[in-house]
Amino acid sequence: MKIHDLITTTEPLAELCERLAQGDFVCVDTEFMRENTYWPELCLVQIGNEEEAAAVDPLADGIDLQPLWDLLCDNEDVLKIFHAGGQDVEIVYNFTGKTPQPIFDTQIAMMAISQSEQIGYANLVESWLGFTVDKGARFTDWSRRPLTDRQIEYAIGDVTHLAKIFPRILKKLIKTGRGAWLDAEMEKLADPANYANDADTAWHRIRSPGRNAQVLGRLKALAAWRESEAQHKNIPRGRIMRDETLADIASHPPKSQGDLTKVRGLSNAWKDNDIGKRLMKVLEKAEPLPKDEMPEKAKRGAPLGKEGALVADLLKLLLKIRAREIDVASRLLTRSDEMEALAAGARDLPILNGWRYEVFGKDALELVEGRMAFAVKDGRLLMTRVDTAADDVEPVVEDAAE
């Protein structure tokens, strides 16, 4: 594999992207800083395939990244490979308003061919290539220039190793026939809606203080205002105001700007500074939340009861058995809340549809409805069909009060 020198000008970037556009896939990774900014600061982009790879300096004076964005977002003939790529996709979206298409995430793929829930990159490399990644440059300040040779070598390794691993993962996926399992997961990763910073929906990220329309109206207005302030200043939204403080003001709005000093989490300066004035204007103009935007009533949890809770525990045990049997991450099959809903009688669930029904949901439903049970054979916990009618089976646990 040819490793190019650090790319700092547009011409070699365009030439590289033109060559990469002729391949079947391109591996992508980014290095960025976001601790002190609202928008992640892109500091380095690594791209490559099985033949060549390079690091691109987006901070270089005069460089135009458009050839890169064209390759990632507009060329649908080349598959874009990431590992745990959510934040990388977010950065691409921030620059372009688009997401890479089509997309493949090796962390997600590992869930379909192993019991790895969220395997890290270093463990992925060790598992497939048999060596340990040097983590010395992991927690570096990627915004500082010049970058050292060690930093660049470390960064490029994120795509050169991935270019060797991806074909092996793909081969195993094809062999197991589980590629279709990942379609929905990859679609979610590439959905632009996941990365849009819509100020009007920012309040959804905050724990709602009840269902009072007046309170929620203020919460929505305050959250949108905070988002605007953070974007304008390019600082993390928490630097403007923490979620807890924002929710507290929505629930107990101050009557005057001077009362802001009584709000926990705000400094005394808010009583007479400009940002405090802007906050008070937002509160004055806030309207009650419309009925069509009201959140659904919070579910108090499935009415499981003692027996239902035991059934949910058995479903979780079944999940562990099935995940072990077919060597798949249990998280890809279902979640705890879904199994509790199934135990409580819900039937409109993802695990009762499509491939999830075939590999897990069918047996889970039969367990809940009394047509399947656990058995121990040769020291191993197995599932067995129940021939006896459920009404003839004695309960395992009786109510202590009886």
Side-chain angles (χ1 to χ4, degrees), residues 8 83 112 163 217 265 274 335 346 352 355:
T8 58
H83 181 79
D274 288 340
R335 306 290 178 90
L352 300 183
W355 67 267

Side-chain angles (χ1 to χ4, degrees), residues 272-292:
D272 50 22
N273 62 13
D274 288 340
I275 194 171
K277 293 178 182 177
R278 293 195 293 272
L279 184 151
M280 293 305 298
K281 287 182 179 179
V282 170
L283 285 175
E284 290 171 9
K285 296 180 180 179
E287 299 287 341
L289 191 71
K291 289 184 178 180
D292 60 351

Side-chain angles (χ1 to χ4, degrees), residues 248-314:
D248 185 34
I249 293 176
S251 298
H252 307 93
K255 295 180 179 180
S256 67
Q257 186 175 350
D259 290 336
L260 290 175
T261 60
K262 303 175 184 178
V263 178
R264 184 177 180 181
L266 298 184
S267 68
N268 288 334
W270 283 75
K271 66 182 175 58
D272 50 22
N273 62 13
D274 288 340
I275 194 171
K277 293 178 182 177
R278 293 195 293 272
L279 184 151
M280 293 305 298
K281 287 182 179 179
V282 170
L283 285 175
E284 290 171 9
K285 296 180 180 179
E287 299 287 341
L289 191 71
K291 289 184 178 180
D292 60 351
E293 293 186 38
M294 289 291 289
E296 295 182 2
K297 290 185 178 181
K299 296 180 180 179
R300 299 181 179 275
L304 293 176
K306 294 180 180 179
E307 298 295 331
L310 288 174
V311 173
D313 287 341
L314 290 177

Side-chain angles (χ1 to χ4, degrees), residues 213-223 249-253 283 286-287:
Q214 294 279 358
V215 172
L216 292 179
R218 289 192 291 266
L219 183 71
K220 178 181 177 179
L222 287 170
I249 293 176
S251 298
H252 307 93
L283 285 175
E287 299 287 341

